[in-house]
Amino acid sequence: MQRSYSRLLGVIGKPNTGKSTFFSAATLAAADIANYPFTTIKPNRGVGYVRTSCVHEEFKVSDNPRNSLCIEGTRLIPVELIDIAGIVPGAWEGRGLGNQFLDEIRRADALIHIVDASGGTDCEGKSCKPGEHDPLEDVQFLEREITMWMINLLKKDWPKIARTAEADKKGVATPLEERLTGLGIKKVSITEAIRRCGLNVDKPTLWSDDDFYRFVDTLRHISKPMLIVANKVDLPTAQANLEHLKKLDYTVIPASAEAELALRRAAEKQLIAYKPGDKDFKILTPDKVSAGQSKALESIREKILTTNGSTGVQEAINTAYFKMLDMITIYPVEDLEHLANHNGQVLPDAYLVPNGITARQFAYVIHTELGESFLYAVDARNKRRIGEDTVLKDRDVISIVSAKKRA
């Protein structure tokens, strides 16, 4: 049995911002894309990739990827994304498709908020004149929707939770964690939110309504980290809005999901050479590319890739996993001399795991029995033994020795 450290990334936002286009560009999954609200009714799930440089070039070997892809030295590790249908103001009260959409957020470990940087969609997701709507309002309303939804989940039971915590004299963090299990919120996040708000953990009955709101809002920020994708950045009205968005307390990534989708589909048809996140592309079959396609591709190169360095889609996914969720990559092997598994496949697997993971904990990720019978691991770079409590580093290549394997 393998213990999973998979993290789910939620793609959220109001309708008509390019959210489903972003999801399709990231996953090449078939998602309904149209210029009207509530195109996405049921959440779409798909597989995207985290992009990192593969270690096989450092070790000067040819690899045989099994659980991931390696294209010209770029390792693409699969991750799961969910395209959550558009949220409108008042969703927490049931407006639009309301709580049906918000409930999907409980599954996500981090959120990518797709914002129409051109200001061409109003607060309901309806088209308006570009520049007419302020996208900062979209960020503020979405924050409030999620916070109020969380408050709604807690408020009914809060008096009982607070009284019980005081009676048991064990603090309020443990009963709150039990109540919030379905949201994947851990005690450490609850404790940190209480600390940041300066609240008395032992006397929750003394918290005012404002205290309770500040606590839940802070908990949302900690437990559901979010970055902003400023989509449609190639439109004329986007640049001024982008500068305003960058003043927020979020990582903001300029993007054109439409451009990424066009490039991914052209690459899929083998018209161009392009990997997700590349700074440029190369036309492979000029004779098969029409004049219109060539013009569209050149426009993407000039307005998006040259200006911003990428379409922003892959950068958003990488930022979510490597920075917000603080993940690292580890390569396990069995044969240290050849960096291979028992079938002779070289560097077959790349695992995405939390930063701070120990050697034994990583053994459990591969298989429960490997963790239970762990003896030590060996670092492929220096051939040194490392113990069970050794914290692994990004891009480590290790071989795990277990009692079962030795027998």
Side-chain angles (χ1 to χ4, degrees), residues 208-333:
S208 66
D209 288 344
D210 285 345
D211 291 336
F212 187 65
Y213 181 91
R214 283 192 303 113
F215 161 70
V216 176
D217 192 53
T218 304
L219 182 61
R220 169 196 58 77
H221 196 275
I222 294 170
S223 62
K224 300 293 179 183
M226 183 168 70
L227 67 80
I228 307 297
V229 167
N231 196 30
K232 308 181 185 181
V233 73
D234 51 314
L235 297 182
T237 51
Q239 282 305 311
N241 286 331
L242 177 61
E243 294 308 311
H244 291 150
L245 287 167
K246 285 181 176 179
K247 294 176 183 178
L248 296 173
D249 187 25
Y250 288 104
T251 298
V252 178
I253 296 174
S256 173
E258 193 172 64
E260 177 70 14
L261 183 58
L263 293 174
R264 290 287 303 272
R265 285 178 171 166
E268 191 178 38
K269 294 175 182 175
Q270 298 185 329
L271 298 176
I272 65 172
Y274 176 77
K275 299 186 299 297
D278 276 356
K279 297 180 179 181
D280 201 358
F281 59 87
K282 180 182 179 181
I283 295 179
L284 298 175
T285 52
D287 56 318
K288 294 183 180 180
V289 177
S290 68
Q293 288 173 321
S294 180
K295 184 178 180 181
L297 288 169
E298 191 53 44
S299 178
I300 290 174
R301 174 179 278 145
E302 180 184 338
K303 294 182 179 179
I304 305 296
L305 300 180
T306 302
T307 303
N308 298 313
S310 76
T311 67
V313 173
Q314 187 61 50
E315 183 183 351
I317 296 173
N318 269 34
T319 300
Y321 281 94
F322 288 136
K323 294 185 179 179
M324 291 201 303
L325 293 174
D326 197 17
M327 308 289 276
I328 60 174
T329 52
I330 306 293
Y331 297 77
V333 298

Side-chain angles (χ1 to χ4, degrees), residues 62-215:
S62 296
D63 58 353
N64 311 109
R66 185 177 62 171
N67 77 340
S68 48
L69 304 172
C70 185
I71 305 173
E72 298 175 350
T74 296
R75 184 70 76 131
L76 298 171
I77 306 171
V79 291
E80 189 176 13
L81 280 70
I82 181 169
D83 175 23
I84 299 168
I87 300 172
V88 296
W92 71 274
E93 298 176 294
R95 192 162 177 269
L97 296 181
N99 290 317
Q100 176 185 336
F101 295 165
L102 288 165
D103 278 346
E104 297 300 329
I105 291 173
R106 72 172 69 236
R107 301 192 220 169
D109 297 287
L111 303 170
I112 289 184
H113 183 187
I114 311 298
V115 171
D116 178 1
S118 76
T121 45
D122 66 17
C123 60
E124 303 286 337
K126 298 173 183 175
S127 295
C128 63
K129 183 180 177 182
E132 198 168 84
H133 181 73
D134 184 353
L136 267 71
E137 293 180 18
D138 299 335
V139 178
Q140 293 163 351
F141 108 74
L142 195 97
E143 288 176 329
R144 177 170 169 77
E145 291 300 320
I146 300 175
T147 295
M148 292 304 299
W149 167 70
M150 291 174 65
I151 284 175
N152 227 26
L153 293 176
L154 275 177
K155 203 163 188 179
K156 180 181 176 182
D157 298 328
W158 173 243
K160 182 180 178 181
I161 290 172
R163 288 194 303 269
T164 301
E166 289 189 15
D168 293 344
K169 297 182 179 180
K170 293 182 180 179
V172 74
T174 298
L176 275 174
E177 182 185 36
E178 293 171 357
R179 179 65 183 84
L180 294 170
T181 299
L183 274 68
I185 297 176
K186 304 298 183 184
K187 185 176 179 179
V188 63
S189 297
I190 295 168
T191 302
E192 176 61 14
I194 293 171
R195 186 195 67 79
R196 289 189 192 180
C197 293
L199 300 173
N200 189 333
V201 67
D202 298 315
K203 293 288 185 182
T205 57
L206 299 180
W207 295 6
S208 66
D209 288 344
D210 285 345
D211 291 336
F212 187 65
Y213 181 91
R214 283 192 303 113
F215 161 70

Side-chain angles (χ1 to χ4, degrees), residues 21-71:
T21 304
F22 179 97
F23 176 82
S24 295
T27 65
L28 282 186
D32 290 328
I33 301 169
N35 191 31
Y36 54 86
F38 301 120
T39 303
T40 304
I41 301 299
K42 292 183 179 179
N44 299 301
R45 296 181 85 115
V47 175
Y49 294 91
V50 162
R51 172 179 172 148
T52 183
S53 58
C54 186
V55 297
H56 82 264
E57 293 188 337
E58 175 191 343
F59 286 92
K60 296 180 172 56
V61 295
S62 296
D63 58 353
N64 311 109
R66 185 177 62 171
N67 77 340
S68 48
L69 304 172
C70 185
I71 305 173

